[in-house]
Amino acid sequence: MSVSLHGLKQNLDKFTEEIPQQVSDAKEIPEMQIHRDEFILLMHPVKPESSQFMQEAAASEHIFSSVVFKCPCNSRNMLYGSVFLMVPAFILLLLGYMVNARTWRLLTGTCPPEKCRDCSPRGTCAHYCQVLVPVTARALVAPLTWIAVALLNASFYPCAASGNSLIKDLICKDQGQECQNLLFKIPCDEKLSTNISSELLSLQAQSQLIGWFLIAIIVTVALVSTCVSRCCSPVSYLQLKFWKIYSKEEQKLFEIKAKEHATKLAERNTNCFFEGTDPAPFHTPNNEDWKKISFLYTFNPQEQYYSMIHKYVNTNRGNSASFEEGGQNPTVLGFVDETDVIDSGF
C-alpha cells in the first residue's frame, strides 16, 4: 500500500509540474493564427460556401509570411512588400475565375470557328457583364482574405510602408538621412526598433487597423448585397431552399447517368472493334442537344423550370418556341449554373 501511495504522489508531482509548462506553451500561440481564425469565423456566416477558399488563402499567407518572405531592408522595401501583398491576391482572383463553372458555361462555344467572323462581343456585352459581376464577387473572396490576413499579421505592410516616401517623410521629418536608412532596416532587425520604437509600432498598428477596416467593409458589402439579392428574389424562401436541393440531386443523377451512358457506349465500341462486328443502334444526345442544356439558366415566371435540363425535357427536347424565349437572370439563382464547383471545366 505504501508503494502505491508513493507512486501516486510521484505522478501527482509530475502532473503539477507539467501544468504550468502546458499553460505557458498555450500562451505562445502565434498572434497571426488568432487573427486568421477570428477572420474566418467572422466571415463564415456571410459566405459559408467559400470557407474552404478562405482557409486555403489564410494558410498560404502564413506560409509565405513565415517562410518565403524576407524583407530586403533597403530602398526596395516598397516594391518587395507590395508584390508579396498584391500579386498573390491577383493570382487568387484568376484562380477564382478558373474554378467557377459559370465562367466556362458563358465562354465555352461562344465563338466557334464556323462563326468566328460573325462573333462580336458588342451585342452581348450587357449579358456578359450581368453574368461576370456575381462571378467576380465570388472570385474576390480568396484575394480579399489574403490581403486582410496579411494586414492583420503586419508582415508585408510594414516592409512596404518603410520604403514608402510619404511614410518616410512623416516619420523622419527633419531627422536627416540617418533616420531614413534606419527606417529601411527596422523590418529586419528588431534591435534597431529601440531607437524609433514608436514608429515601428505605428506601422504595425496601421497595418492591423487597415486590415480590420477592410474586414468591416467586406462584411458590410456582403451583407448588403445578400439582402438586396434576396429582396429581389422572384421566389420565396422555402421554394429557394427546395430549388437548391433539386439542383444538387439533379447534378448527382446527371453524373451517374452520364457515367453509365459513357460506359455502355465505350463498351459497345470496344467490343465491335475487337470482335469485328457492326455496332448496334445506340441513341446518344447530339451536339445541339448538349448545347441546349449547356446554356446559362434564365428565369421565366410564366413557365418556371428548375434547370436547363428541366426546360429541355418539357419543351419537346428544346424544339418548342418557348425554349428560345429569354428571361430574367436574378443573382439569387446563380447557384443553378454553379451546382458543382469541381465541374468547373478547368
Side-chain angles (χ1 to χ4, degrees):
M1 183 70 176
S2 60
V3 176
S4 60
L5 290 175
H6 179 69
L8 178 62
K9 183 177 182 301
Q10 288 181 341
N11 291 334
L12 288 174
D13 294 339
K14 182 178 180 181
F15 179 71
T16 55
E17 291 177 358
E18 290 179 351
I19 289 178
Q21 180 65 31
Q22 294 175 356
V23 174
S24 175
D25 294 341
K27 292 180 180 180
E28 295 177 359
I29 299 176
E31 183 180 0
M32 188 285 305
Q33 179 72 25
I34 297 176
H35 288 318
R36 183 180 65 190
D37 294 341
E38 288 177 350
F39 173 70
I40 294 175
L41 288 175
L42 182 64
M43 292 293 291
H44 189 267
V46 180
K47 289 282 186 179
E49 70 277 4
S50 303
S51 60
Q52 180 180 358
F53 293 100
M54 296 168 60
Q55 293 176 2
E56 292 175 355
S60 300
E61 191 281 334
H62 175 53
I63 295 174
F64 270 76
S65 61
S66 60
V67 179
V68 180
F69 182 76
K70 301 295 180 183
C71 187
C73 296
N74 53 34
S75 59
R76 298 182 180 178
N77 284 8
M78 177 65 182
L79 176 62
Y80 190 83
S82 300
V83 166
F84 268 80
L85 182 64
M86 301 306 298
V87 171
F90 178 70
I91 295 174
L92 289 172
L93 176 64
L94 298 181
L95 291 176
Y97 281 112
M98 291 180 181
V99 300
N100 195 308
R102 214 171 184 196
T103 304
W104 305 113
R105 275 186 176 245
L106 178 66
L107 296 179
T108 303
T110 303
C111 296
E114 62 272 11
K115 298 181 180 180
C116 189
R117 295 180 180 179
D118 300 330
C119 182
S120 176
R122 296 180 180 179
T124 57
C125 182
H127 175 66
Y128 274 60
C129 293
Q130 189 177 10
V131 174
L132 287 177
V133 166
V135 172
T136 302
R138 184 72 61 84
L140 282 172
V141 172
L144 289 177
T145 301
W146 170 280
I147 295 175
V149 174
L151 290 172
L152 292 178
N153 190 25
S155 56
F156 303 149
Y157 177 84
C159 179
S162 64
N164 183 271
S165 58
L166 296 177
I167 299 295
K168 183 170 55 177
D169 294 339
L170 180 64
I171 293 178
C172 297
K173 186 177 181 181
D174 301 330
Q175 296 188 31
Q177 186 66 30
E178 183 179 355
C179 176
Q180 297 179 5
N181 295 334
L182 187 63
L183 185 63
F184 288 147
K185 299 178 182 179
I186 283 179
C188 295
D189 192 351
E190 296 180 358
K191 296 180 180 179
L192 297 177
S193 63
T194 56
N195 297 331
I196 48 176
S197 58
S198 60
E199 284 77 4
L200 176 64
L201 180 61
S202 67
L203 292 180
Q204 293 177 341
Q206 288 176 23
S207 178
Q208 293 177 344
L209 285 175
I210 295 173
W212 281 117
F213 277 120
L214 178 62
I215 293 173
I217 292 173
I218 294 172
V219 175
T220 303
V221 172
L223 178 60
V224 171
S225 61
T226 302
C227 292
V228 171
S229 64
R230 288 301 181 95
C231 290
C232 299
S233 173
V235 297
S236 64
Y237 173 78
L238 291 179
Q239 186 178 5
L240 184 63
K241 188 175 182 179
F242 167 80
W243 202 326
K244 292 181 179 180
I245 296 174
Y246 171 85
S247 296
K248 292 181 181 179
E249 294 302 320
E250 184 188 73
Q251 180 68 23
K252 291 179 182 178
L253 291 175
F254 180 84
E255 296 287 343
I256 295 173
K257 293 295 183 181
K259 186 175 181 180
E260 292 178 355
H261 192 85
T263 302
K264 292 179 181 179
L265 180 60
E267 184 178 0
R268 188 205 68 163
N269 294 337
T270 305
N271 291 338
C272 291
F273 174 76
F274 284 104
E275 297 174 2
T277 58
D278 294 330
F282 189 92
H283 175 75
T284 188
N286 56 35
N287 290 344
E288 289 300 321
D289 295 332
W290 287 111
K291 288 181 180 179
K292 289 176 181 178
I293 67 169
S294 298
F295 291 146
L296 287 172
Y297 176 82
T298 55
F299 178 79
N300 189 343
Q302 303 300 327
E303 297 179 355
Q304 181 180 317
Y305 303 109
Y306 290 113
S307 67
M308 293 307 297
I309 293 180
H310 187 193
K311 185 176 183 179
Y312 173 84
V313 299
N314 284 277
T315 54
N316 190 21
R317 298 177 60 86
N319 295 319
S320 175
S322 60
F323 184 85
E324 301 294 336
E325 294 180 358
Q328 305 173 7
N329 192 13
T331 305
V332 73
L333 298 180
F335 65 89
V336 177
D337 298 317
E338 300 174 346
T339 306
D340 194 355
V341 179
I342 299 176
D343 184 25
S344 60
F346 172 64

